[in-house]
């Protein structure tokens, strides 16, 4: 397994790593950003190009591996979904603002962004985020709270946005995004019997990340020790979908 990963990585072109990598800096005039708080964060720290432009698969794979221990098996398919957001059909890179195109990957019912119908879907929006936060009622979020927050945002959008849409790919990404922040900021306990106990995520890390688009090193976060693979992510998403159905039909408290 190690050998396979090593081979995949060494096949990538050598990437120049800028000197100021790691340091957080706000985006400058002309820099572009995404509706994704993590890609924005990694650009703000210089793991991705600070201007948000010209991101190839090789750059994305290296950045997410270095900064948050995400495996090629998960970043490669994610990148492949993102490539068509570049309006140039022959392009092999993306700019972060390409990801904002509605209903390719960007979808309604986001946790911290408005629906396109109401306003810009790329930038952080405090009232939307407050609704999400209202479901996080303990210092550590369990998977049940994270699932309810996701459901609530979709239900609110579906009932207030006359142009609400939720294509299947958007829905799948939506569950993936709720999984993603838990995997990056939470403590994994994937052998737990109850899905609700599989990750426990400090609320203050999640708030800091969403609100500042910055890695929360100064309040104690460290790069995850466990490497996130595609199988781990997909299994967690499938289990969260089951949990969500159970919460909605009242069989899971
Ligand atoms: C190549 C990798 C990635 C791509 C192409 C990508 C793309 C996107 C896009 C297009 C959205 C907007 C969806 C929407 O809310 O309308 C999004 C949201 C999101 N992404 Fe990423 N993302 C990537 C990696 C990550 C990683 C590694 C994390 C880890 C924390 C992450 C966490 C999130 C979260 C939490 C949201 C939801 C934001 C919200 O609902 O307000 N993403 N991503
Ligand atoms: C994309 O590549 C094809 C094949 O090389 C070419 O015919 C086409 O004009 C290119 N399209 C653009 C927009 O560059
Ligand atoms: C409720 O949802 C759960 C999880 O999907 C399912 O196993 C169960 O059969 C459902 N129960 C009812 C009464 O619909
Ligand atoms: Mg959205």
């Amino acid at each position: 397994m190690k050998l396979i990963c090593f081979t995949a990585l060494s096949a990538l072109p050598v990437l120049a790593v800028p000197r100021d990598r790691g340091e957080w800096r706000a985006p400058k005039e002309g820099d572009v950003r995404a509706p994704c708080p993590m890609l924005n964060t990694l650009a703000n720290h210089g793991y991705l190009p600070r201007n948000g432009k010209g991101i190839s698969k090789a750059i994305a794979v290296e950045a997410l591996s270095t900064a948050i221990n995400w495996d090629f098996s998960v970043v490669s398919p994610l990148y492949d979904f993102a490539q068509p957001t570049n309006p140039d059909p022959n392009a092999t890179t993306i700019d972060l603002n390409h990801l904002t195109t509605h209903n390719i990957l960007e979808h309604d019912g986001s946790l911290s962004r408005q629906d396109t119908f109401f306003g810009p879907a790329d930038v952080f929006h405090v009232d939307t985020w407050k609704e999400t936060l209202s479901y996080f009622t303990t210092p550590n979020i369990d998977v049940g709270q994270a699932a309810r927050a996701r459901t609530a945002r979709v239900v609110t959008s579906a009932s207030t946005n006359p142009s609400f849409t939720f294509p299947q790919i958007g829905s799948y990404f939506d569950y993936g995004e709720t999984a993603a922040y838990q995997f990056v900021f939470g403590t994994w306990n994937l052998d737990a019997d109850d899905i609700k106990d599989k990750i426990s995520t400090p609320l203050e890390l999640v708030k800091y990340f969403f609100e500042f688009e910055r890695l929360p090193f100064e309040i104690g976060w460290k790069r995850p020790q466990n490497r996130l693979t595609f199988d781990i992510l997909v299994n967690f998403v499938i289990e969260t979908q089951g949990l969500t159905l159970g919460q909605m039909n009242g069989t899971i408290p």
Side-chain angles (χ1 to χ4, degrees), residues 2-173:
K2 268 189 183 134
L3 186 66
I4 296 169
C5 295
F6 178 77
T7 311
L9 279 175
S10 60
L12 299 171
V14 177
L15 303 164
V17 174
R19 269 170 210 281
D20 65 349
R21 193 174 209 194
E23 185 192 317
W24 187 90
R25 281 201 256 121
K28 290 206 204 70
E29 182 80 39
D31 294 350
V32 296
R33 290 295 181 262
C36 176
M38 182 53 87
L39 297 181
N40 292 352
T41 296
L42 296 182
N44 293 342
H45 282 280
Y47 288 102
L48 292 173
R50 289 186 184 271
N51 67 5
K53 296 175 188 172
I55 298 166
S56 63
K57 185 192 278 197
I59 290 175
V61 164
E62 193 277 338
L64 274 71
S65 175
T66 304
I68 57 172
N69 209 2
W70 280 33
D71 190 62
F72 178 87
S73 62
V74 61
V75 182
S76 174
L78 271 179
Y79 184 91
D80 291 342
F81 278 114
Q83 186 60 68
T85 65
N86 188 327
D88 174 353
N90 295 336
T92 57
T93 63
I94 54 167
D95 299 348
L96 290 181
N97 57 325
H98 293 150
L99 294 169
T100 308
T101 308
H102 187 49
N103 278 347
I104 301 182
L105 296 184
E106 194 288 312
H107 54 75
D108 290 334
S110 297
L111 301 172
S112 68
R113 269 71 174 160
Q114 291 176 281
D115 290 2
T116 303
F117 177 81
F118 294 121
D122 55 344
V123 294
F124 178 79
H125 184 254
V126 70
D127 288 344
T128 304
W129 180 234
K130 277 186 183 156
E131 185 190 352
T132 299
L133 284 180
S134 72
Y135 291 86
F136 301 155
T137 52
T138 50
N140 291 299
I141 305 168
D142 70 12
V143 180
Q145 288 177 31
R148 282 189 192 280
R150 192 211 65 84
T151 304
R153 282 292 307 125
V154 175
V155 169
T156 297
S157 284
S159 57
T160 58
N161 175 356
S163 327
F164 176 80
T165 44
F166 214 51
Q168 193 166 8
I169 176 75
S171 163
Y172 203 69
F173 257 75

Side-chain angles (χ1 to χ4, degrees), residues 241-252:
Q241 287 172 330
L243 167 64
T244 300
L245 291 176
Q247 289 173 333
M248 291 177 83
N249 72 15
T251 58
I252 299 179

